[in-house]
Amino acid sequence: MQPLPQFFLEKVAREYDLSADQTKALVKRLSDGDVEQEDAESLHISVNALRSRMTGVYAKFSIRHKGPGKLRVLHDFLLPKYQKAKPSQVPENNNDITALAQEIRRKVKDDIHARCGKIRVLDMEQPIGLGDIYTKVNILEKLLSNRRLGIDELLIGSDIKQFDRLMLGKVRQKRVLGVEAVKQYDKLMILGKPGAGKTTFMKRLATLCNQNQFQEHRVPVFVTLKEFAEAMGQPGLQDYITKQWSHCGIDKPDSAAVLKQGLALILLDGLDEVQEAEHDRVLQEIKDFTRQFRDCQFVMTCRIAAREYVFQQFTEVEVADFDADQITEFATKWFKAKKDDKKEETFIQRLESNKPIKELATNPLLLTLLCLVFGEAADFPANRAELYKEGLDVLLKKWDAKRNIERDRVYKKLSLKRKEDLLSQLAFYAFDRGDYFFKQAVAERQIVGYIRNLPGAQDDEDALHLDGTDVLNSIEAQHGLLVERAKGIYSFSHLTFQEYFTAKQITRSTALLHEELAKLSGHIVEKRYREIFLLTVGMLPEADDLLRLMKQNIDQLLADDPDLQKLLSWLNQKLKSVDVSYREAAIRAFYLDLYLYRERDRVRVRVRDRNLEVKIDLDFDLDLDLTFSLDLDLFRDLYLDLDLYCDLDLDLDLYRILYLDLDLDLVLDRALDRIRTSKLKLKLEALKDQLPGINNTDVLQQWWKEHGKKWIYKLRSVIIEHRNIGHDWQFTEIQKEKLQQYY
């Protein structure tokens, strides 16, 4: 049988929707020969596995022939298709063009390695090997902005009340490995936010092809579209590629032959970086080139919302944000490349304890910035506002400036400060309303309201509305700070940035600062405002006024409730009665913790013997608030020295006695050893003597039913009298909630 070219077989495989394994089997069987055993060995599979794959291939082509002649039937079916598709391009010897492609691959290898093998971004002092830090890119096959979802649907799974920030805007769409997506589509448009890793992925494809690990039968071609658009003489893409190859010693006829046979992997990077004056010409050139050499493999990148374009033959996909595994993989590789194993270990730990910062790490460019910052100081800045400002500077100006990219200035009247002011107003407006997602019309209305007051603004409302739409698109395309999460629904790319701009708006006006801080302090009990308070403090030259306002609002929570005021009075009494050297705030927190833990965690009592565990359910008519679960070691780490016999340690033991969360005998013995007051010791010993033994479970349960309530009342009275703890406050649920907020 006449061998069929690999590029043709792969094209047919895509048309008939063959799997990757089926495609490999088809190519091997019809391009190399027809010795089944050798074909199976070259694929590193068994003959039976090869036959199984080919059975699937025959089914896709509706080959119903029985017996060993099926391969010949398939070949004869495909040969006319090949001859019809390329009647004038069938080489006399298919091996000649394959050999030519491999020769060109060899000649361009060093050039591809030089241009794509290393990267240097932001403030990196020297390039770093791409392979050393590359992290696999995931692809979303459905663009987020094309989803028809409502705001309620985008919030599914998010606990707004408890403010589970990491679930806000979480994408639940299946992810596909980027390389697999390229294998699946012969013409692929990869869209993504600024800094999403599009160029890095393209360079990775080029180097993989260069190293015979991907599309090894094709020649890798990497074209930066900005450089192509600005090339002297405005060459066409074929001439531009031919010139690239000529520097590697490749003749023009050979270049043309390889392109015509579809033996090139054409990587066109950065359509959004082409200046407006060149855009139409470049767009048309790409369309003409992809039609002329349609059997080549094409991959192109562009920022989301950057251009209005139509490439009918291209499939559009979107780069997914990094997930936790990708963040860990990138950081691990980064610090290993820097030979800094200690920081490699601590970086992820610091991220986990700084959730707002971790949100930024889902963007590869911002993750690189975080690695650079952490590499200098072995930690993140204490003032997070400074870190966020640096991240915003990267997106607003540095990322393009470093690469000499001047984008269309749709909102050229806006200086950097005005852009920040506009974003601050939009962020504050949405956050104040509790909106993390907002409709396009809302965003445009806020933008129009801002630009209407600028010098030289349009008077015509329709023109203003168009300006508002253009500015919104520009913010998304140029900076990636706003993102279309679904059709007509936007949010800030990271909640962290919305919080930063909200705090910036609060601190923007010196004249209205006290009024704005007073409004902010009124949100002191709302969890979602926590980061706003921290960022605002970081932005203020002095935070004294805000702290005073916060304290006033906290005190006001309990000011009008006599019962809760009694609890505060009791806390002050305990503060004065204990003789320890800890800070007053720590002592108050210690005793308030005891009460709050008891209220939160109600558990079943356990009474233990050496070889017997008897569970007694005290849910019967005891009107006693049952036990609290408290980590003793944690408390001692926070407030106590391990071997310190002090008032706080004793009170903790007495609390545990009173609420029966340990074996009473053991804990009473331990408390009695610590007690220095003879009267209290005598009374506790007397109460201990009243406890029944636990040898008989029935007797034990009967004793608790008959005497438990009275015994606990006596125990409580003794502890209140001598230690002033164990009060049964009997607060309502509303009072408990207020107390928790106060705490």
Side-chain angles (χ1 to χ4, degrees):
M1 292 187 298
Q2 175 188 334
L4 295 174
Q6 181 174 341
F7 73 86
F8 167 73
L9 293 172
E10 288 180 346
K11 181 175 181 291
V12 168
R14 288 193 291 273
E15 291 175 357
Y16 282 80
D17 197 25
L18 269 60
S19 70
D21 287 340
Q22 290 170 343
T23 300
K24 290 178 182 177
L26 175 68
V27 169
K28 185 58 65 176
R29 298 294 283 129
L30 290 181
S31 67
D32 285 359
D34 59 355
V35 181
E36 190 177 51
Q37 181 67 43
E38 293 178 2
D39 289 346
E41 290 175 357
S42 67
L43 291 173
H44 307 292
I45 59 176
S46 66
V47 171
N48 285 337
L50 177 60
R51 288 174 180 172
S52 177
R53 293 182 185 182
M54 288 303 299
T55 298
V57 171
Y58 297 137
K60 289 287 179 69
F61 287 96
S62 300
I63 303 296
R64 315 228 184 275
H65 184 83
K66 302 292 184 181
K70 284 188 289 187
L71 186 65
R72 166 66 70 177
V73 172
L74 178 58
H75 173 272
D76 292 346
F77 171 74
L78 292 177
L79 182 60
K81 287 180 174 290
Y82 173 60
Q83 292 172 336
K84 182 178 179 181
K86 307 181 79 65
S88 62
Q89 297 175 15
V90 181
E92 293 181 5
N93 186 345
N94 186 60
N95 291 330
D96 290 346
I97 191 66
T98 302
L100 176 61
Q102 293 304 312
E103 176 64 15
I104 293 178
R105 280 174 57 84
R106 184 185 64 78
K107 290 182 176 179
V108 303
K109 186 172 185 177
D110 290 343
D111 178 63
I112 290 292
H113 177 72
R115 292 195 295 127
C116 301
K118 294 185 177 182
I119 60 171
R120 181 178 179 182
V121 297
L122 301 179
D123 296 327
M124 292 171 60
E125 295 174 351
Q126 57 188 19
I128 191 169
L130 181 66
D132 293 335
I133 64 167
Y134 179 77
T135 301
K136 291 179 181 177
V137 168
N138 286 329
I139 294 295
L140 303 175
E141 293 188 285
K142 183 175 178 60
L143 304 186
L144 296 182
S145 59
N146 286 344
R147 299 183 298 173
R148 297 187 181 277
L149 299 176
I151 291 176
D152 290 344
E153 293 172 287
L154 290 172
L155 287 170
I156 289 176
S158 301
D159 188 345
I160 297 299
K161 186 175 181 181
Q162 296 301 318
F163 205 56
D164 182 5
R165 59 188 302 124
L166 291 180
M167 290 302 293
L168 284 171
K170 184 177 178 63
V171 177
R172 295 168 179 82
Q173 190 181 147
K174 181 183 177 183
R175 296 162 171 243
V176 179
L177 276 176
V179 173
E180 294 302 317
V182 175
K183 289 178 181 177
Q184 186 175 353
Y185 304 106
D186 58 350
K187 292 180 178 61
L188 192 66
M189 169 68 80
I190 299 178
L191 303 171
K193 297 188 287 289
K198 301 181 293 297
T199 296
T200 302
F201 177 59
M202 295 285 269
K203 288 186 173 183
R204 179 63 172 174
L205 290 176
T207 55
L208 285 175
C209 184
N210 210 33
Q211 296 164 359
N212 296 324
Q213 297 178 39
F214 178 72
Q215 301 272 13
E216 57 270 21
H217 65 290
R218 285 194 164 110
V219 182
V221 180
F222 185 85
V223 176
T224 301
L225 287 172
K226 177 180 182 295
E227 294 177 0
F228 162 68
E230 297 171 2
M232 187 176 297
Q234 297 186 345
L237 263 174
Q238 182 177 0
D239 290 338
Y240 185 78
I241 293 170
T242 299
K243 186 174 182 180
Q244 273 190 2
W245 284 356
S246 68
H247 295 312
C248 302
I250 300 165
D251 294 334
K252 186 174 182 178
D254 291 342
S255 301
V258 167
L259 291 172
K260 287 177 182 178
Q261 293 296 326
L263 294 178
L265 171 62
I266 312 292
L267 305 169
L268 306 174
D269 187 45
L271 179 61
D272 56 283
E273 296 175 1
V274 176
Q275 292 190 30
E276 187 173 12
E278 303 291 341
H279 181 249
D280 290 343
R281 178 180 67 84
V282 171
L283 210 63
Q284 189 59 49
E285 179 61 31
I286 293 172
K287 290 179 180 179
D288 292 343
F289 185 79
T290 53
R291 277 196 297 265
Q292 183 179 0
F293 303 109
R294 59 182 175 274
D295 290 323
C296 289
Q297 175 94 34
F298 289 92
V299 186
M300 183 159 43
T301 64
C302 184
R303 287 188 181 181
I304 289 177
R307 300 289 190 195
E308 290 294 332
Y309 50 77
V310 178
F311 290 98
Q312 297 288 357
Q313 303 303 316
F314 278 72
T315 298
E316 293 183 350
V317 296
E318 181 174 343
V319 179
D321 288 340
F322 270 7
D323 58 20
D325 291 339
Q326 288 170 297
I327 292 171
T328 300
E329 181 185 349
F330 180 93
T332 299
K333 289 180 175 179
W334 175 277
F335 289 109
K336 276 187 177 176
K338 298 290 184 179
K339 297 182 172 59
D340 201 336
D341 294 339
K342 187 174 182 180
K343 287 173 187 168
E344 172 198 339
E345 296 172 4
T346 57
F347 179 81
I348 297 299
Q349 296 173 2
R350 295 288 192 275
L351 271 188
E352 289 300 325
S353 62
N354 289 275
K355 299 298 184 185
I357 294 178
K358 185 178 179 181
E359 289 173 18
L360 302 184
T362 59
N363 178 285
L365 177 64
L366 295 178
L367 176 55
T368 303
L369 172 65
L370 294 178
C371 289
L372 284 167
V373 170
F374 197 89
E376 292 177 2
D379 205 347
F380 300 119
N383 186 347
R384 289 207 287 266
E386 296 175 357
L387 177 62
Y388 301 159
K389 184 180 185 306
E390 190 170 353
L392 286 164
D393 283 346
V394 166
L395 294 176
L396 283 168
K397 56 181 181 180
K398 288 185 179 180
W399 184 225
D400 282 347
K402 289 269 185 185
R403 297 174 298 154
N404 298 315
I405 296 170
E406 183 177 345
R407 300 188 182 275
D408 306 340
R409 301 211 169 195
V410 178
Y411 55 145
K412 58 187 176 183
K413 295 176 184 176
L414 298 185
S415 63
L416 179 60
K417 183 182 184 306
R418 281 179 171 163
K419 290 177 185 177
E420 291 178 344
D421 287 346
L422 169 58
L423 289 164
S424 297
Q425 288 190 23
L426 178 57
F428 180 85
Y429 174 81
F431 195 91
D432 190 51
R433 290 160 51 96
D435 293 340
Y436 308 105
F437 303 98
F438 38 86
K439 293 185 177 180
Q440 179 175 344
V442 172
E444 289 177 355
R445 189 164 58 247
Q446 291 296 307
I447 293 169
V448 168
Y450 181 83
I451 62 179
R452 177 184 279 116
N453 298 315
L454 294 178
Q458 299 270 7
D459 294 327
D460 182 81
E461 285 299 318
D462 290 339
L464 272 172
H465 178 75
L466 290 174
D467 284 349
T469 302
D470 288 342
V471 169
L472 177 60
N473 290 337
S474 296
I475 293 172
E476 180 180 13
Q478 296 185 25
H479 313 308
L481 294 174
L482 295 178
V483 177
E484 192 173 9
R485 300 291 187 181
K487 278 282 187 185
I489 297 176
Y490 284 78
S491 77
F492 279 81
S493 58
H494 300 87
L495 175 60
T496 298
F497 287 152
Q498 185 178 5
E499 291 168 329
Y500 174 87
F501 281 120
T502 298
K504 194 171 181 63
Q505 178 68 11
I506 290 170
T507 58
R508 189 168 67 95
S509 171
T510 304
L512 299 175
L513 183 58
H514 182 79
E515 180 182 341
E516 293 298 327
L517 294 181
K519 290 178 184 176
L520 173 61
S521 63
H523 296 287
I524 189 68
V525 301
E526 297 179 51
K527 288 187 177 182
R528 70 188 191 93
Y529 270 88
R530 180 181 187 276
E531 195 69 11
I532 306 296
F533 278 98
L534 296 174
L535 290 170
T536 301
V537 167
M539 293 177 184
L540 291 170
E542 294 181 351
D544 300 27
D545 285 346
L546 177 56
L547 293 174
R548 276 192 287 269
L549 289 164
M550 289 165 65
K551 178 65 166 62
Q552 290 171 14
N553 277 273
I554 293 169
D555 289 343
Q556 194 61 37
L557 287 170
L558 309 187
D560 59 351
D561 192 312
D563 293 335
L564 294 176
Q565 286 295 315
K566 288 179 183 177
L567 177 65
L568 297 185
S569 297
W570 169 72
L571 286 172
N572 282 328
Q573 291 172 17
K574 286 304 301 179
L575 173 63
K576 295 173 182 176
S577 67
V578 296
D579 182 21
V580 292
S581 60
Y582 302 106
R583 288 175 176 268
E584 293 182 359
I587 298 170
R588 279 196 297 268
F590 175 87
Y591 285 105
L592 193 51
D593 255 336
L594 294 182
Y595 173 77
L596 291 173
Y597 270 104
R598 175 171 66 87
E599 290 299 328
R600 283 197 296 267
D601 302 322
R602 300 169 180 270
V603 299
R604 191 176 256 196
V605 175
R606 291 183 179 181
V607 180
R608 296 191 186 92
D609 192 14
R610 291 176 187 170
N611 301 311
L612 177 67
E613 176 173 299
V614 182
K615 294 183 178 179
I616 305 174
D617 189 349
L618 290 183
D619 286 341
F620 53 81
D621 61 347
L622 288 180
D623 57 353
L624 171 69
D625 292 323
L626 295 181
T627 66
F628 59 92
S629 174
L630 188 60
D631 188 332
L632 181 58
D633 291 335
L634 175 60
F635 251 95
R636 289 183 173 178
D637 285 346
L638 289 174
Y639 302 113
L640 310 171
D641 295 325
L642 284 174
D643 299 321
L644 180 63
Y645 282 69
C646 68
D647 284 351
L648 299 185
D649 222 359
L650 175 58
D651 283 347
L652 181 58
D653 281 338
L654 291 175
Y655 251 99
R656 293 167 78 84
I657 293 169
L658 184 57
Y659 298 108
L660 306 177
D661 68 332
L662 291 177
D663 182 338
L664 282 172
D665 284 332
L666 291 175
V667 180
L668 276 169
D669 285 340
R670 179 172 162 179
L672 286 167
D673 287 341
R674 297 178 178 224
I675 293 173
R676 291 167 290 187
T677 306
S678 58
K679 289 183 179 180
L680 174 58
K681 192 166 189 172
L682 289 172
K683 290 179 180 179
L684 286 179
E685 285 175 341
L687 284 168
K688 181 175 180 293
D689 291 340
Q690 294 176 20
L691 291 172
I694 59 172
N695 294 328
N696 189 313
T697 304
D698 294 335
V699 172
L700 183 63
Q701 292 186 6
Q702 187 63 32
W703 186 92
W704 275 107
K705 286 184 179 181
E706 294 177 2
H707 306 289
K709 185 175 181 179
K710 186 177 179 180
W711 188 89
I712 291 170
Y713 177 80
K714 289 180 181 179
L715 176 61
R716 186 189 296 279
S717 299
V718 168
I719 294 176
I720 289 174
E721 178 187 356
H722 290 275
R723 296 298 306 175
N724 192 19
I725 59 174
H727 299 277
D728 189 12
W729 297 100
Q730 294 294 318
F731 293 138
T732 66
E733 291 303 316
I734 293 176
Q735 288 174 318
K736 291 174 184 177
E737 184 178 357
K738 277 189 176 182
L739 190 60
Q740 183 64 49
Q741 290 174 339
Y742 174 83
Y743 178 69

